[in-house]
Amino acid sequence: MPSSPTPSPTPEPSGVRRRSLLGAAAAAPVLASLAGAGSASAAPAASVASATAGPAGGPRALPGGGDLGPNVIVFDPSTANIQGRLDEVFKQQESAQFGTGRYALLFKPGTYSGLNAQLGFYTSIAGLGLSPDDTTINGDVTVDAGWFDGNATQNFWRSAENLALVPVSGTNRWAVSQAAPFRRMHVRGGLNLAPDGYGWASGGYIADSRIDGTVGPYSQQQWYTRDSSVGGWLNAVWNMVFSGVEGAPAQSFPEPPYTTLETTPVSREKPFLYLDGDEYCVFLPEKRTGARGVSWGNGTPRGTSLPLTQFYVAKPADSAATLNQALEEGLHLLLTPGIYHLDRTVEVNRAGTVVLGLGYATLIPDNGVTALKVADVDGVRLAGFLVDAGPVNSATLVEVGPEGASADHSANPTTVQDVFVRIGGAGPGKATTSLVVNSRHTIVDHTWVWRADHGDGVGWETNRADYGVVVNGDDVLITGLFVEHFNKYDVQWNGERGRTVFFQNEKAYDAPDQAAIQNGSIKGYAAYKVGDDVTEHEGWGLGSYCYYNVNPSIVQHHGFAAPNRSGVRFHGLLVVSLGGNGQYECVINDTGSPTSGTDTVPSKVVQYP
């Protein structure tokens, strides 16, 4: 049970998540008033660079800059009825788990008072200053679970970035599960990660944030916090991981289950939109090695800036051909909120290219193509978008580097941040492999790769997806890895010197029988498999859960599989059977106690080997 220094209600931490049984909420109807945004909704138009020279010296056919579209709603301190607009978006998005609405709520620098921005699905809120403290809300940015009877395990796909909050009660509530990052935030108070009533919750991710008060996870099953500062941390349920966090609890896994790294090996914060006077720019934070604490501690972050005129501001009606043309002409991509249907692959071939999504912009490959491919070049930044598998099977959905990529990118790696992948749920979808990383030194910083267990188009073969993340490149680092429900290996890591800081996994709920998951002589595919030939690999704070609710008699031999050699090391491993729906025989390889019975109690391995 979580411990608390006060006599306030304590949650039941080991409740079983039952997403598939509880079902998904129906999408809310689109509000006409939001589809045609008023003066506060239309972002100031950046200057158009139609005559700017392209990379070959000729004129560009496509413009840079431009209006951000109707689903980017921009506020300044003088905007009338801000609360009303926030409430309208929330009313539409609160339960629209698989709806089509996508929104970015942007606040110009200044001070705002008396606001409670409740965030529903596919809604991002962000400040437009260079520092979070440039934009202060005397109020709250709230995620709760009233729409789902107090169960926060489906509070996905929403984000908060680059704001300072002064919570009305002294504590802000952020009760989220996967794909809901809390980045570059300054909470001048505490942060409560549980829903009202302390119902189930399965998050989550904080980065580059300062929480002056205490963070109370309460019922949160797991959490990862990176390069931040906290005034205190209240409790742990299954798996709490920290890297580079000032004020983090000391290393104590297995009890309490805190895995704490003093620094993060390598990090580079996510690109973000900001205002320089009246002009939009995108800030590109610099790479940090051995990072600890926030990147904006002195007010101004370190890095470089690009004017919006160097971006093609894409709209959902744009074709893949148009997006590729913009890239070929030397423009970066800013994906405004909405759903983009792709009949061919978006090809990122130029070093240093930025592809930044707003408001959970969503890419859907319609005809079995790969949605996006990156060449083996330096410094590409992919951030802030969702890739949704289409009804025709794609061999892959996102590829970072071509097969056999071998160039050294240690000085300027490609980063993949808040790029989320979904197979099924919003409708039929199939993909053999979701995310493939071939380029060396790639940093994947927070991803949720999810084969849907509820919604539309869901079934063992209906949304077939064998592999979640496959890493072939050497020297790849993943910080904040969430991968769930794949038919075979959720993560397969073939590259050398790979590192993972925090992993959360659920095996596929819907396996019909033992034979369906049989892996040769092994019962089930590991959640996280390190290739047999790998000589160096390391992971910290990794957990795998099983909930075989279709056939609770299924046995999974282990959650983790890796070569048994000294250079392959793990710290803080656990497996959990949720309510006895399936069991694990071991934790890693043939090591670790089995789960048993109906008690949802983790089996843990402190170090391996």
Side-chain angles (χ1 to χ4, degrees), residues 130-202:
L130 264 180
S131 166
D133 289 323
D134 292 341
T135 311
T136 298
I137 293 178
N138 291 307
D140 296 82
V141 172
T142 301
V143 178
D144 207 344
W147 73 279
F148 205 46
D149 298 324
N151 179 344
T153 61
Q154 292 184 27
N155 280 351
F156 314 137
W157 304 306
R158 63 202 76 198
S159 67
E161 299 184 49
N162 205 29
L163 291 165
L165 303 179
V166 184
V168 170
S169 69
T171 300
N172 189 79
R173 186 183 300 279
W174 185 255
V176 299
S177 287
Q178 288 79 8
F182 197 80
R183 287 186 182 269
R184 271 183 88 70
M185 296 290 286
H186 184 189
V187 181
R188 298 176 194 163
L191 188 64
N192 182 345
L193 303 179
D196 186 28
Y198 302 97
W200 300 328
S202 181

Coordinates of all heavy atoms in Angstrom, one line a residue, residues 130-202:
L130 N 10.1 31.3 -24.0 CA 11.3 30.4 -24.1 C 11.5 29.7 -22.8 O 12.1 28.6 -22.8 CB 12.6 31.3 -24.3 CG 13.0 31.5 -25.7 CD1 14.3 32.4 -25.8 CD2 13.4 30.1 -26.3
S131 N 11.0 30.2 -21.7 CA 11.1 29.5 -20.4 C 9.7 29.2 -19.9 O 8.7 30.0 -20.2 CB 11.8 30.4 -19.4 OG 11.6 29.9 -18.1
P132 N 9.4 28.2 -19.1 CA 8.1 28.0 -18.5 C 7.6 29.1 -17.7 O 6.4 29.5 -17.7 CB 8.3 26.7 -17.7 CG 9.5 26.0 -18.3 CD 10.4 27.1 -18.8
D133 N 8.6 29.8 -17.0 CA 8.2 30.9 -16.2 C 7.8 32.2 -17.0 O 7.3 33.1 -16.4 CB 9.3 31.2 -15.2 CG 9.5 30.2 -14.2 OD1 8.5 29.6 -13.7 OD2 10.7 29.9 -13.8
D134 N 7.9 32.2 -18.3 CA 7.4 33.3 -19.1 C 5.9 33.3 -19.2 O 5.3 34.3 -19.5 CB 8.0 33.2 -20.5 CG 9.5 33.5 -20.6 OD1 10.0 34.0 -19.6 OD2 10.1 33.0 -21.6
T135 N 5.3 32.1 -18.9 CA 3.8 32.0 -19.0 C 3.3 31.4 -17.8 O 3.5 30.2 -17.6 CB 3.4 31.1 -20.3 OG1 4.2 31.6 -21.4 CG2 2.0 31.2 -20.5
T136 N 2.6 32.2 -16.9 CA 2.2 31.7 -15.6 C 0.6 31.6 -15.6 O 0.0 32.6 -15.9 CB 2.7 32.6 -14.5 OG1 4.1 32.6 -14.5 CG2 2.1 32.2 -13.2
I137 N 0.1 30.5 -15.2 CA -1.3 30.3 -15.0 C -1.5 30.2 -13.5 O -1.1 29.2 -12.8 CB -1.9 29.1 -15.7 CG1 -1.8 29.3 -17.2 CG2 -3.3 28.8 -15.3 CD1 -2.3 28.1 -18.0
N138 N -2.2 31.2 -12.9 CA -2.7 31.1 -11.5 C -3.9 30.2 -11.6 O -5.0 30.7 -11.7 CB -2.9 32.5 -11.0 CG -1.6 33.2 -10.7 OD1 -0.7 32.7 -10.1 ND2 -1.5 34.4 -11.3
G139 N -3.7 29.0 -11.5 CA -4.8 28.0 -11.7 C -4.3 26.6 -12.0 O -3.1 26.4 -11.6
D140 N -5.0 25.8 -12.6 CA -4.7 24.4 -12.8 C -4.8 23.9 -14.2 O -5.5 24.5 -15.0 CB -5.6 23.5 -11.9 CG -5.5 23.8 -10.4 OD1 -6.1 24.8 -10.0 OD2 -4.8 23.1 -9.8
V141 N -3.9 22.9 -14.5 CA -4.1 22.1 -15.8 C -4.4 20.7 -15.3 O -3.5 20.0 -14.7 CB -2.8 22.2 -16.6 CG1 -2.9 21.2 -17.8 CG2 -2.5 23.6 -17.1
T142 N -5.6 20.3 -15.5 CA -6.1 19.2 -14.8 C -6.4 18.0 -15.7 O -7.0 18.2 -16.8 CB -7.5 19.5 -14.0 OG1 -7.2 20.6 -13.1 CG2 -8.0 18.4 -13.3
V143 N -6.0 16.8 -15.3 CA -6.5 15.6 -15.9 C -7.1 14.7 -14.7 O -6.4 14.4 -13.8 CB -5.4 14.8 -16.6 CG1 -5.9 13.5 -17.2 CG2 -4.8 15.6 -17.7
D144 N -8.3 14.3 -14.9 CA -9.0 13.5 -13.9 C -9.8 12.4 -14.7 O -9.7 12.4 -15.9 CB -10.0 14.3 -13.1 CG -10.2 13.7 -11.7 OD1 -9.9 12.5 -11.5 OD2 -10.7 14.4 -10.8
A145 N -10.5 11.6 -14.0 CA -11.1 10.4 -14.7 C -12.6 10.3 -14.4 O -13.1 9.2 -14.4 CB -10.4 9.1 -14.2
G146 N -13.3 11.4 -14.3 CA -14.7 11.3 -14.0 C -15.5 10.7 -15.2 O -16.5 10.0 -15.0
W147 N -14.9 10.9 -16.4 CA -15.6 10.3 -17.6 C -15.6 8.8 -17.5 O -16.4 8.1 -18.2 CB -14.9 10.8 -18.9 CG -13.5 10.1 -19.1 CD1 -12.3 10.5 -18.5 CD2 -13.2 9.0 -19.9 NE1 -11.3 9.6 -18.9 CE2 -11.9 8.7 -19.8 CE3 -14.0 8.2 -20.8 CZ2 -11.2 7.7 -20.5 CZ3 -13.4 7.1 -21.4 CH2 -12.0 6.9 -21.3
F148 N -14.7 8.2 -16.8 CA -14.5 6.7 -16.7 C -14.6 6.2 -15.3 O -13.9 5.3 -14.9 CB -13.1 6.4 -17.3 CG -13.0 5.0 -17.9 CD1 -14.0 4.5 -18.7 CD2 -11.9 4.2 -17.6 CE1 -13.9 3.2 -19.3 CE2 -11.8 2.9 -18.2 CZ -12.8 2.4 -19.0
D149 N -15.6 6.8 -14.6 CA -15.9 6.4 -13.2 C -14.7 6.3 -12.3 O -14.6 5.4 -11.5 CB -16.6 5.0 -13.3 CG -17.9 5.0 -14.0 OD1 -18.6 6.1 -13.9 OD2 -18.2 4.1 -14.7
G150 N -13.8 7.3 -12.4 CA -12.7 7.4 -11.5 C -11.5 6.5 -11.9 O -10.5 6.4 -11.1
N151 N -11.5 5.8 -13.0 CA -10.5 4.9 -13.5 C -9.6 5.7 -14.5 O -10.1 6.0 -15.6 CB -11.1 3.7 -14.1 CG -10.1 2.7 -14.6 OD1 -8.9 3.0 -14.8 ND2 -10.5 1.5 -14.9
A152 N -8.4 5.9 -14.2 CA -7.5 6.7 -15.0 C -6.7 5.9 -16.0 O -5.8 6.5 -16.7 CB -6.6 7.6 -14.2
T153 N -6.9 4.6 -16.1 CA -6.0 3.8 -16.9 C -6.2 4.0 -18.4 O -5.4 3.4 -19.2 CB -6.2 2.3 -16.6 OG1 -7.5 1.9 -16.8 CG2 -5.8 2.0 -15.1
Q154 N -7.2 4.8 -18.8 CA -7.3 5.1 -20.2 C -7.2 6.5 -20.5 O -7.6 7.0 -21.6 CB -8.7 4.6 -20.7 CG -8.8 3.0 -20.7 CD -10.1 2.5 -21.3 OE1 -10.7 3.1 -22.2 NE2 -10.5 1.3 -20.9
N155 N -6.5 7.3 -19.6 CA -6.3 8.7 -19.9 C -5.0 8.9 -20.7 O -4.0 9.3 -20.2 CB -6.2 9.4 -18.5 CG -7.5 9.7 -17.9 OD1 -8.6 9.5 -18.5 ND2 -7.5 10.2 -16.7
F156 N -5.1 8.6 -22.0 CA -4.0 8.6 -22.9 C -4.0 9.9 -23.7 O -5.0 10.7 -23.7 CB -4.1 7.5 -23.9 CG -4.5 6.1 -23.4 CD1 -5.4 5.3 -24.0 CD2 -3.8 5.6 -22.3 CE1 -5.7 4.0 -23.6 CE2 -4.1 4.3 -21.8 CZ -5.1 3.5 -22.4
W157 N -3.0 10.1 -24.5 CA -2.9 11.1 -25.6 C -3.3 12.5 -25.2 O -4.3 13.0 -25.7 CB -3.7 10.6 -26.8 CG -3.3 9.2 -27.3 CD1 -2.1 8.8 -27.6 CD2 -4.1 8.1 -27.4 NE1 -2.1 7.5 -28.0 CE2 -3.3 7.0 -27.8 CE3 -5.5 7.9 -27.2 CZ2 -3.8 5.7 -28.1 CZ3 -6.0 6.6 -27.4 CH2 -5.2 5.5 -27.8
R158 N -2.5 13.1 -24.3 CA -2.7 14.5 -24.0 C -1.4 15.0 -23.4 O -0.6 14.2 -22.9 CB -3.9 14.7 -23.0 CG -3.7 14.0 -21.6 CD -5.0 13.7 -20.9 NE -5.7 12.6 -21.5 CZ -7.0 12.3 -21.4 NH1 -7.7 13.1 -20.6 NH2 -7.5 11.3 -21.9
S159 N -1.1 16.3 -23.4 CA 0.2 16.7 -22.9 C 0.1 18.2 -22.4 O -0.8 18.9 -22.7 CB 1.2 16.7 -24.1 OG 0.9 17.6 -25.1
A160 N 1.1 18.5 -21.5 CA 1.3 19.8 -21.0 C 2.7 20.2 -21.1 O 3.6 19.3 -20.7 CB 0.8 19.9 -19.5
E161 N 3.0 21.4 -21.6 CA 4.4 21.8 -21.8 C 4.6 23.3 -21.6 O 3.7 24.1 -21.9 CB 4.8 21.4 -23.3 CG 4.8 20.0 -23.6 CD 5.3 19.7 -25.0 OE1 6.4 20.2 -25.4 OE2 4.6 19.0 -25.8
N162 N 5.8 23.6 -21.0 CA 6.3 25.0 -21.1 C 5.4 26.0 -20.4 O 5.3 27.1 -20.8 CB 6.5 25.4 -22.5 CG 7.6 26.4 -22.7 OD1 8.5 26.5 -21.9 ND2 7.4 27.2 -23.7
L163 N 4.8 25.6 -19.2 CA 4.0 26.5 -18.4 C 4.5 26.5 -17.0 O 5.0 25.5 -16.5 CB 2.5 26.1 -18.5 CG 1.8 26.2 -19.8 CD1 0.5 25.4 -19.7 CD2 1.5 27.6 -20.1
A164 N 4.2 27.6 -16.3 CA 4.3 27.7 -14.8 C 2.9 27.7 -14.3 O 2.0 28.4 -14.8 CB 5.0 28.9 -14.4
L165 N 2.6 26.8 -13.3 CA 1.3 26.7 -12.7 C 1.4 27.1 -11.2 O 2.4 26.7 -10.5 CB 0.8 25.3 -12.8 CG 0.7 24.7 -14.2 CD1 0.2 23.2 -14.0 CD2 -0.2 25.5 -15.1
V166 N 0.4 27.9 -10.7 CA 0.2 28.1 -9.3 C -1.1 27.5 -9.0 O -2.2 28.2 -9.1 CB 0.3 29.6 -9.0 CG1 0.2 29.9 -7.5 CG2 1.6 30.3 -9.6
P167 N -1.1 26.2 -8.6 CA -2.4 25.5 -8.4 C -3.3 26.2 -7.3 O -2.7 26.7 -6.2 CB -2.0 24.1 -7.9 CG -0.6 24.0 -8.4 CD 0.0 25.4 -8.3
V168 N -4.6 26.2 -7.5 CA -5.5 26.9 -6.6 C -5.4 26.3 -5.2 O -5.4 27.0 -4.2 CB -6.9 26.9 -7.2 CG1 -7.9 27.3 -6.1 CG2 -7.0 27.7 -8.4
S169 N -5.4 25.0 -5.1 CA -5.4 24.3 -3.9 C -4.0 24.0 -3.3 O -3.8 23.5 -2.2 CB -6.1 22.9 -4.0 OG -5.3 22.0 -4.8
G170 N -3.0 24.4 -4.1 CA -1.6 24.2 -3.8 C -1.1 22.9 -4.5 O 0.1 22.7 -4.5
T171 N -2.0 22.1 -5.0 CA -1.5 20.9 -5.7 C -2.3 20.7 -7.0 O -3.5 20.8 -7.0 CB -1.8 19.6 -4.8 OG1 -1.0 19.8 -3.6 CG2 -1.3 18.4 -5.5
N172 N -1.6 20.5 -8.1 CA -2.2 20.2 -9.4 C -2.4 18.7 -9.6 O -1.6 17.9 -9.2 CB -1.3 20.8 -10.5 CG -2.0 20.8 -11.9 OD1 -2.8 21.6 -12.2 ND2 -1.6 19.8 -12.7
R173 N -3.6 18.4 -10.2 CA -3.9 17.0 -10.5 C -3.6 16.6 -11.9 O -4.1 17.2 -12.8 CB -5.4 16.7 -10.2 CG -5.7 15.2 -10.3 CD -7.2 14.9 -10.1 NE -7.7 15.3 -8.8 CZ -7.5 14.6 -7.7 NH1 -6.9 13.5 -7.7 NH2 -8.0 15.1 -6.5
W174 N -2.8 15.6 -12.1 CA -2.4 15.1 -13.4 C -2.5 13.6 -13.4 O -1.5 12.8 -13.3 CB -0.9 15.6 -13.7 CG -0.5 15.3 -15.1 CD1 0.4 14.3 -15.5 CD2 -0.8 15.9 -16.3 NE1 0.6 14.3 -16.8 CE2 -0.1 15.3 -17.4 CE3 -1.7 17.0 -16.6 CZ2 -0.2 15.7 -18.7 CZ3 -1.8 17.4 -17.9 CH2 -1.1 16.8 -19.0
A175 N -3.7 13.1 -13.5 CA -4.0 11.6 -13.4 C -4.0 11.0 -14.8 O -5.1 10.9 -15.4 CB -5.3 11.4 -12.7
V176 N -2.9 10.6 -15.3 CA -2.8 10.1 -16.7 C -2.2 8.7 -16.7 O -1.7 8.2 -15.7 CB -1.9 11.0 -17.5 CG1 -2.4 12.4 -17.6 CG2 -0.4 11.1 -17.0
S177 N -2.3 8.1 -17.9 CA -1.6 6.9 -18.1 C -0.7 7.1 -19.3 O 0.0 8.1 -19.4 CB -2.7 5.7 -18.4 OG -3.2 5.4 -17.1
Q178 N -0.6 6.2 -20.3 CA 0.4 6.3 -21.3 C 0.2 7.5 -22.3 O -0.9 8.0 -22.5 CB 0.5 5.0 -22.1 CG 1.0 3.8 -21.3 CD 0.1 3.2 -20.4 OE1 -1.1 3.5 -20.3 NE2 0.6 2.2 -19.6
A179 N 1.3 7.9 -22.9 CA 1.3 8.9 -24.0 C 0.7 10.2 -23.5 O 0.0 10.9 -24.3 CB 0.5 8.4 -25.2
A180 N 1.1 10.6 -22.3 CA 0.6 11.9 -21.7 C 1.8 12.6 -21.1 O 1.8 12.7 -19.8 CB -0.5 11.6 -20.8
P181 N 2.7 13.1 -21.8 CA 3.9 13.7 -21.2 C 3.6 15.1 -20.5 O 2.8 15.8 -20.9 CB 4.8 14.0 -22.5 CG 3.9 14.1 -23.6 CD 2.8 13.1 -23.3
F182 N 4.4 15.3 -19.5 CA 4.4 16.5 -18.7 C 5.8 17.0 -18.8 O 6.7 16.6 -18.1 CB 4.0 16.2 -17.3 CG 3.6 17.3 -16.4 CD1 2.3 17.8 -16.4 CD2 4.5 17.8 -15.4 CE1 1.9 18.8 -15.6 CE2 4.1 18.8 -14.6 CZ 2.8 19.3 -14.6
R183 N 6.1 18.0 -19.8 CA 7.4 18.4 -20.1 C 7.6 19.9 -19.9 O 6.7 20.7 -20.1 CB 7.7 18.2 -21.6 CG 7.9 16.8 -22.0 CD 8.3 16.8 -23.5 NE 8.5 15.5 -24.1 CZ 9.7 14.8 -24.1 NH1 10.7 15.4 -23.5 NH2 9.8 13.6 -24.6
R184 N 8.8 20.3 -19.4 CA 9.1 21.7 -19.3 C 8.1 22.5 -18.5 O 7.7 23.6 -18.8 CB 9.2 22.4 -20.7 CG 10.5 22.3 -21.3 CD 10.4 23.0 -22.7 NE 10.7 24.5 -22.5 CZ 11.9 25.0 -22.2 NH1 12.9 24.2 -22.0 NH2 12.1 26.3 -22.1
M185 N 7.6 21.9 -17.4 CA 6.6 22.5 -16.6 C 7.2 22.9 -15.2 O 8.1 22.3 -14.7 CB 5.5 21.5 -16.3 CG 4.7 21.1 -17.6 SD 3.7 22.5 -18.2 CE 2.3 22.5 -17.0
H186 N 6.7 24.1 -14.7 CA 7.1 24.5 -13.4 C 5.9 24.6 -12.5 O 5.0 25.5 -12.8 CB 7.8 25.9 -13.4 CG 8.3 26.4 -12.1 ND1 8.8 27.6 -11.9 CD2 8.4 25.7 -10.9 CE1 9.2 27.8 -10.7 NE2 8.9 26.6 -10.0
V187 N 5.7 23.7 -11.6 CA 4.6 23.7 -10.7 C 5.0 24.3 -9.4 O 5.8 23.8 -8.7 CB 4.0 22.2 -10.5 CG1 2.8 22.3 -9.5 CG2 3.7 21.6 -11.8
R188 N 4.4 25.5 -9.1 CA 4.8 26.2 -7.9 C 3.8 25.7 -6.8 O 2.9 26.4 -6.3 CB 4.6 27.7 -8.1 CG 5.6 28.2 -9.1 CD 5.4 29.7 -9.4 NE 6.1 30.1 -10.6 CZ 5.9 31.2 -11.3 NH1 4.9 32.0 -10.8 NH2 6.5 31.5 -12.4
G189 N 4.0 24.4 -6.5 CA 3.2 23.7 -5.5 C 3.4 22.2 -5.7 O 4.5 21.8 -6.2
G190 N 2.5 21.4 -5.3 CA 2.6 19.9 -5.5 C 1.9 19.4 -6.7 O 1.2 20.1 -7.4
L191 N 2.2 18.1 -7.0 CA 1.6 17.4 -8.2 C 1.0 16.1 -7.7 O 1.7 15.3 -7.1 CB 2.6 17.2 -9.2 CG 2.2 16.7 -10.6 CD1 1.2 17.7 -11.3 CD2 3.4 16.5 -11.5
N192 N -0.3 15.9 -8.0 CA -1.0 14.6 -7.6 C -1.2 13.9 -8.9 O -1.9 14.3 -9.8 CB -2.3 15.0 -6.9 CG -3.1 13.8 -6.5 OD1 -2.8 12.7 -6.9 ND2 -4.1 14.0 -5.6
L193 N -0.7 12.6 -9.0 CA -0.7 11.8 -10.2 C -1.9 10.8 -10.2 O -2.0 10.0 -11.1 CB 0.6 11.1 -10.4 CG 1.8 12.0 -10.4 CD1 3.1 11.1 -10.6 CD2 1.7 13.0 -11.5
A194 N -2.8 10.9 -9.2 CA -3.9 10.0 -9.1 C -5.2 10.7 -9.4 O -5.4 11.9 -9.1 CB -3.9 9.4 -7.7
P195 N -6.2 9.9 -9.8 CA -7.5 10.5 -10.0 C -8.2 10.8 -8.7 O -7.8 10.2 -7.6 CB -8.3 9.4 -10.8 CG -7.6 8.1 -10.4 CD -6.2 8.5 -10.2
D196 N -9.2 11.6 -8.7 CA -10.1 11.8 -7.5 C -10.7 10.5 -7.1 O -11.2 9.8 -7.9 CB -11.2 12.8 -7.9 CG -12.0 13.2 -6.7 OD1 -11.5 13.2 -5.6 OD2 -13.2 13.5 -6.9
G197 N -10.5 10.2 -5.8 CA -10.9 8.9 -5.3 C -9.9 7.8 -5.4 O -10.1 6.7 -4.9
Y198 N -8.7 8.1 -5.9 CA -7.5 7.2 -5.9 C -7.8 5.9 -6.7 O -7.4 4.9 -6.3 CB -7.0 6.9 -4.5 CG -6.6 8.2 -3.7 CD1 -7.5 8.8 -2.8 CD2 -5.4 8.8 -3.9 CE1 -7.2 9.9 -2.1 CE2 -5.0 9.9 -3.2 CZ -5.9 10.5 -2.3 OH -5.6 11.6 -1.6
G199 N -8.5 6.0 -7.8 CA -8.7 4.9 -8.6 C -7.5 4.5 -9.3 O -6.4 5.1 -9.2
W200 N -7.6 3.4 -10.1 CA -6.5 2.9 -10.8 C -5.8 3.9 -11.8 O -6.5 4.7 -12.4 CB -6.9 1.6 -11.7 CG -7.4 0.5 -10.8 CD1 -7.1 0.2 -9.5 CD2 -8.4 -0.4 -11.2 NE1 -7.8 -0.9 -9.1 CE2 -8.6 -1.3 -10.1 CE3 -9.2 -0.6 -12.4 CZ2 -9.6 -2.3 -10.2 CZ3 -10.1 -1.6 -12.4 CH2 -10.3 -2.5 -11.4
A201 N -4.5 3.9 -11.9 CA -3.8 4.7 -12.9 C -2.6 4.0 -13.3 O -2.0 3.3 -12.6 CB -3.5 6.1 -12.2
S202 N -2.2 4.2 -14.6 CA -1.1 3.5 -15.2 C -0.2 4.4 -16.0 O -0.2 4.3 -17.2 CB -1.6 2.3 -16.0 OG -0.5 1.6 -16.5

